[in-house]
Amino acid sequence: MGDDRRDDWTQGPELSAEQAREERRRRSAAEQAPPAPSDEDAETLRERQRLAQQAMLDRWIDGVLVEQRRSRRWKLFFRFLFALLILASLAITLYGLFVVPGAGSVAGPHLGIVKVEGVIDSDSRASADRIIDGVRRAWQAPGAKAVVLRIDSPGGSPVQSQRIYDEVMRLRGQGDKPIIAVVEDIGASGAYYIASAADEIVAAPASLVGSIGVINAGFGLQEAIERLGVERRVFTAGENKAFLDPFSDISPEQRDFWQRVLATTHRQFIEDVKAGRGDRLADDERLFSGLIWTGEQAIELGLVDELGSLDSLARERLATPRTQDYTPRLDPLDRLARRFGRVAAEWFGLPQAASPLRYQLY
């Protein structure tokens, strides 16, 4: 009887309901918990972590190597491009020096053409240095029966126009071959200044010719910056040094002085046109007023000698339709640099001409 009581599982202290639930939770947690890792399992885990770190390091090194190779390829590409640009520049320069210098004329009689295109300015393609060089080449070419100034320009710098005029007049005085100005769409202001030095002027009936005058254009913005609350700071030595500044007032004395400068430059223009054209000019006070006429109207005023074109001139007058362009060629890189400089000057509002005075049609 005593043994049965010892083996009876019901023997023992009684547990409350709460204690029984706690005991069941403890046993359930003990049954579900993973077994404690052995030393072998810990070593395996450390090895896996080491391998994962090694793989991550390998990926990072591979990424660095790929980026270095990419950077090296770009460096090689830009070095190759730079070398190619240098070689192209050298090739163009050598081509301009030895292949197309302009001195080698066509065989047989021809017209030596020199183009005066665009605004006449020291930094433009119609600069005095370039036009004078072309005129001299055409003049010295043995096969050129005449030097033809092919003009399509609204004018420009007084100094550049005067320089070309003086050189054409000098060659014209030698009398070896005729110098003829052919006006295309427009030959006004400084461009007509140059044309007046030629022996003859030919223009199309609808060409625009004349505009014998001087211009200086600007703005008076002093009131605008006052309204904006902007203070203009200009330091000068000389009371009239900044009298053309658009943000400063101009006194009546300064206005009169500047008008006299324009009148003096205009007088030089008129005298040179009269010297070039002579008695062919009509006695008309409007000639030097700055007005511009068509080629048909210009004949009646003596500003033009004949209506026609370069083609008709070559066919009918000189009996040789062959022409040779003696205008010095522009280096493409120099042309690009000048255009970039001109755009930058316009963007920053910088002056684009050495002189504010212009023989130009606006």
Side-chain angles (χ1 to χ4, degrees), residues 85-97:
L85 289 175
I86 292 178
L87 291 176
S89 177
L90 289 175
I92 292 172
T93 302
L94 294 175
Y95 181 77
L97 288 175

Side-chain angles (χ1 to χ4, degrees), residues 34-277:
S38 63
D39 293 342
E40 183 178 356
D41 292 339
E43 183 65 27
T44 302
L45 181 59
R46 285 195 295 271
E47 180 66 19
R48 287 178 179 176
Q49 291 176 345
R50 187 184 67 80
L51 291 176
Q53 292 174 353
Q54 184 66 37
M56 183 181 300
L57 181 61
D58 291 342
R59 287 195 298 270
W60 179 78
I61 292 174
D62 290 341
V64 171
L65 293 176
V66 169
E67 186 64 28
Q68 287 180 345
R69 285 194 293 268
R70 184 181 297 115
S71 177
R72 192 179 300 112
R73 284 196 297 267
W74 278 112
K75 286 181 180 179
L76 291 175
F77 170 75
F78 283 115
R79 287 175 182 173
F80 174 76
L81 181 62
F82 183 70
L84 188 63
L85 289 175
I86 292 178
L87 291 176
S89 177
L90 289 175
I92 292 172
T93 302
L94 294 175
Y95 181 77
L97 288 175
F98 299 105
V99 181
V100 205
S105 59
V106 298
H110 60 274
L111 299 181
I113 308 298
V114 180
K115 296 178 181 178
V116 183
E117 297 177 325
V119 176
I120 302 166
D121 197 84
S122 59
D123 291 329
S124 71
R125 57 182 176 176
S127 65
D129 289 337
R130 186 165 179 258
I131 302 305
I132 290 173
D133 188 14
V135 169
R136 288 174 179 171
R137 290 178 180 180
W139 183 266
Q140 295 168 2
K145 297 185 62 177
V147 177
V148 178
L149 295 169
R150 191 171 188 177
I151 297 174
D152 192 1
S153 168
S157 163
V159 174
Q160 300 293 306
S161 302
Q162 288 173 346
R163 286 183 58 195
I164 301 172
Y165 172 92
D166 290 340
E167 179 62 18
V168 173
M169 287 292 286
R170 184 186 71 82
L171 295 176
R172 173 181 165 182
Q174 296 180 8
D176 291 344
K177 61 182 66 174
I179 301 177
I180 304 172
V182 177
V183 179
E184 297 285 337
D185 291 313
I186 184 170
S189 295
Y192 186 78
Y193 197 142
I194 296 171
S196 66
D199 293 293
E200 274 187 80
I201 300 177
V202 177
S207 297
L208 296 179
V209 181
S211 187
I212 302 174
V214 186
I215 186 170
N216 168 234
F219 298 94
L221 303 174
Q222 63 275 10
E223 294 184 6
I225 63 172
E226 289 176 3
R227 293 179 181 177
L228 294 173
V230 179
E231 180 185 0
R232 173 73 166 165
R233 296 175 180 174
V234 180
F235 304 96
T236 63
E239 59 181 353
N240 293 310
K241 184 62 178 177
F243 81 97
L244 289 179
D245 179 61
F247 299 100
S248 303
D249 290 324
I250 182 169
S251 66
E253 293 78 12
Q254 292 171 336
R255 189 182 301 275
D256 292 340
F257 167 79
W258 193 237
Q259 190 60 50
R260 288 196 297 272
V261 171
L262 296 177
T264 301
T265 310
H266 190 205
R267 174 184 55 77
Q268 297 169 0
F269 193 172
I270 295 172
E271 290 176 353
D272 285 343
V273 169
K274 287 182 176 179
R277 297 297 296 166

Side-chain angles (χ1 to χ4, degrees), residues 109-111 145-146 148 178 180 312-321:
H110 60 274
L111 299 181
K145 297 185 62 177
V148 178
I180 304 172
S312 64
L313 178 70
R315 281 194 313 268
E316 300 169 8
R317 294 284 305 281
L318 300 177
T320 171

